[in-house]
């Protein structure tokens, strides 16, 4: 039987190998930057002072938040040493931390914003959202951009690519994302598709924003 530890080791090993490809300009520009632009705008709008990027990868979003928003504290959290090694070379302004999304290294109510892009399908989603809620101060928000097919048939290859036995909701649709946030204690404040070029929209990502009351 596969254990959670074995699964984490497999995932972190893969991303340690894939980090240089993930970091290329073409991949970042077309795949990841649209959602990251929206996260930067959200953090700016809320004037969040203590921010964590969960599943931060090579640190592009966390570094942008540090430079463009200038919060008091910005943390990049990932479970892959390979990704974090790349991130540490990018910025000394961000505090890089090794931890799973389901067990964050923050005190209760210690953050104003938690963001996550293109990583949610790797998490135990209910557990991760409960952790996001725990570490946020009242009034703080969590924003998650995740794979979310527009059509049911398109969900099949997406779910196959992201499937693991620990995260049964790999590519949740809008209704399911709202339910996941509500079950974790959030009030859903906004939900919309990431604004992308038309040719990238067959299988798009969805941003859901929840506020801690």
């Amino acid at each position: 039987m596969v254990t959670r530890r074995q699964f984490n080791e497999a995932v972190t090993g893969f991303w340690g190998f894939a980090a240089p490809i993930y970091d290329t300009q073409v991949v970042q520009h077309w795949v990841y930057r649209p959602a990251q632009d929206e996260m930067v705008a959200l953090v700016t709008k809320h004037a969040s002072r203590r921010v964590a990027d969960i599943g931060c990868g090579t640190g592009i979003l966390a570094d942008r938040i540090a430079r463009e928003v200038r919060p008091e504290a910005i943390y990049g959290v990932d479970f892959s040493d390979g990704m974090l090694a790349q991130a540490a070379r990018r910025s000394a302004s961000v505090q890089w931390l090794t931890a799973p999304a389901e067990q964050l290294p923050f005190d209760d109510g210690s953050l104003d914003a938690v963001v996550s892009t293109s990583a949610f399908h790797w998490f135990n989603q209910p557990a991760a959202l409960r952790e996001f809620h725990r570490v946020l101060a009242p009034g703080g928000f969590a924003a998650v951009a995740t794979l979310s097919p527009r059509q049911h048939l398109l969900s099949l290859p997406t779910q196959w690519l992201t499937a693991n036995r620990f995260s049964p909701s790999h590519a949740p649709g809008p209704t399911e994302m709202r339910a996941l946030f509500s079950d974790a204690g959030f009030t859903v404040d906004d939900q919309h598709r990431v604004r992308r070029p038309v040719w990238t929209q067959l299988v798009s990502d969805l941003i859901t924003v929840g506020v801690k009351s």
Side-chain angles (χ1 to χ4, degrees):
M1 179 180 293
V2 178
T3 66
R4 177 68 183 179
R5 180 181 181 83
Q6 287 171 321
F7 171 71
N8 285 341
E9 288 173 350
V11 170
T12 56
F14 168 77
W15 283 114
F17 170 80
I21 299 171
Y22 172 89
D23 221 23
T24 60
Q25 184 174 357
V26 171
V27 171
Q28 284 297 322
H29 180 75
W30 291 114
V31 178
Y32 298 107
R33 187 176 179 93
Q36 293 172 355
D37 287 345
E38 297 204 31
M39 294 300 183
V40 171
L42 272 170
V43 174
T44 301
K45 174 184 174 181
H46 287 266
S48 304
R49 296 177 297 112
R50 300 159 297 171
V51 184
D53 177 15
I54 312 301
C56 67
T58 60
I60 292 175
L61 175 57
D63 175 52
R64 284 189 61 190
I65 291 172
R67 291 184 291 104
E68 299 176 31
V69 185
R70 297 178 181 269
E72 292 178 11
I74 171 69
Y75 305 92
V77 182
D78 205 282
F79 209 48
S80 166
D81 290 335
M83 286 290 195
L84 290 175
Q86 198 101 334
R89 291 192 287 270
R90 183 183 305 282
S91 174
S93 300
V94 180
Q95 298 183 54
W96 306 108
L97 303 171
T98 304
E102 304 87 356
Q103 196 171 4
L104 297 176
F106 304 110
D107 293 334
D108 294 359
S110 59
L111 300 177
D112 300 308
V114 171
V115 298
S116 184
T117 61
S118 304
F120 194 63
H121 52 278
W122 295 112
F123 304 160
N124 178 321
Q125 296 167 1
L129 284 171
R130 287 194 297 270
E131 272 294 270
F132 295 0
H133 189 273
R134 179 186 68 79
V135 302
L136 284 169
F141 77 91
V144 174
T146 186
L147 295 172
S148 181
R150 290 176 181 271
Q151 300 176 27
H152 176 69
L153 289 178
L154 292 173
S155 71
L156 297 179
T158 305
Q159 290 177 350
W160 181 82
L161 286 169
T162 62
N164 69 78
R165 60 176 302 199
F166 302 100
S167 317
S169 308
H170 320 294
T175 300
E176 188 174 357
M177 281 298 292
R178 285 179 172 272
L180 284 165
F181 267 75
S182 296
D183 289 347
F186 287 102
T187 299
V188 176
D189 183 59
D190 183 33
Q191 186 181 74
H192 63 272
R193 296 281 174 182
V194 175
R195 289 171 275 275
R196 289 183 168 278
V198 173
W199 67 271
T200 67
Q201 291 183 1
L202 282 178
V203 177
S204 67
D205 36 359
L206 178 78
I207 288 182
T208 305
V209 182
V211 176
K212 181 174 179 177
S213 300

